[in-house]
Amino acid sequence: MVVRVGWHGAGMFTSSAVDERHTLPRDVSEAELEDALVEAQRRVNAAEAERASVVAALLTRARAADQASAHMSAGACHATQEEFVADRVAALLACTKATANAMLDVAVEASTHPGLARSWGNGDIDSRKVAVVAELMGLFARAWNDLG
């Protein structure tokens, strides 16, 4: 299957399956294509940030349910909802549990750094940069705590 890309102005491309050709609009400048690519990536980044926010909310609710359950069954040892959040995410998104765990890790890290989450939500950075920056911020925070 080959994809036809169509230009719809204002930086918007759409794609649909076609017979055997790959066509690009001929009247679109190189600069317009580059702008469309950058805008598409910003939307992807923002969508990933939104997904992370939802994943973090699932985790927060699971933790709250576990706390409520722990108060009701003091001392009893049982499975928690929190430990199955990655399984739920993997099943819902049809991805591996490793991928779901990575999503959870980035979602938690982003939720603890509002400026980082805001940049991600605006589409300014991608999920990989969020993960790297959050990890470095954690290392710096631990190093700072070790100094004082």
Side-chain angles (χ1 to χ4, degrees):
M1 181 185 319
V2 181
V3 175
R4 170 185 285 154
V5 177
W7 176 255
H8 290 278
M12 297 297 292
F13 280 95
T14 59
S15 62
S16 60
V18 295
D19 298 329
E20 298 177 9
R21 299 184 339 217
H22 180 78
T23 60
L24 287 173
R26 295 180 191 269
D27 60 340
V28 176
S29 72
E30 199 75 16
E32 288 174 312
L33 287 174
E34 290 172 355
D35 289 346
L37 178 62
V38 169
E39 182 56 34
Q41 187 60 48
R42 288 175 90 63
R43 289 192 309 269
V44 168
N45 295 346
E48 286 180 343
E50 180 181 3
R51 179 184 64 196
S53 177
V54 173
V55 167
L58 286 171
L59 183 62
T60 299
R61 287 186 180 186
R63 287 177 175 164
D66 289 343
Q67 285 181 338
S69 175
H71 291 317
M72 295 176 68
S73 59
C77 184
H78 62 294
T80 64
Q81 290 188 29
E82 180 180 356
E83 67 186 285
F84 296 109
V85 172
D87 293 302
R88 285 178 63 197
V89 170
L92 290 167
L93 301 181
C95 64
T96 65
K97 187 173 178 184
T99 298
N101 275 319
M103 282 183 211
L104 274 165
D105 291 344
V106 175
V108 168
E109 289 295 332
S111 69
T112 61
H113 303 289
L116 187 59
R118 190 171 32 261
S119 292
W120 191 16
N122 291 338
D124 298 332
I125 56 176
D126 64 13
S127 60
R128 179 69 183 133
K129 281 185 185 160
V130 171
V132 170
V133 170
E135 182 179 348
L136 290 173
M137 290 172 81
L139 289 172
F140 291 143
R142 285 189 292 281
W144 183 260
N145 288 336
D146 289 346
L147 291 174

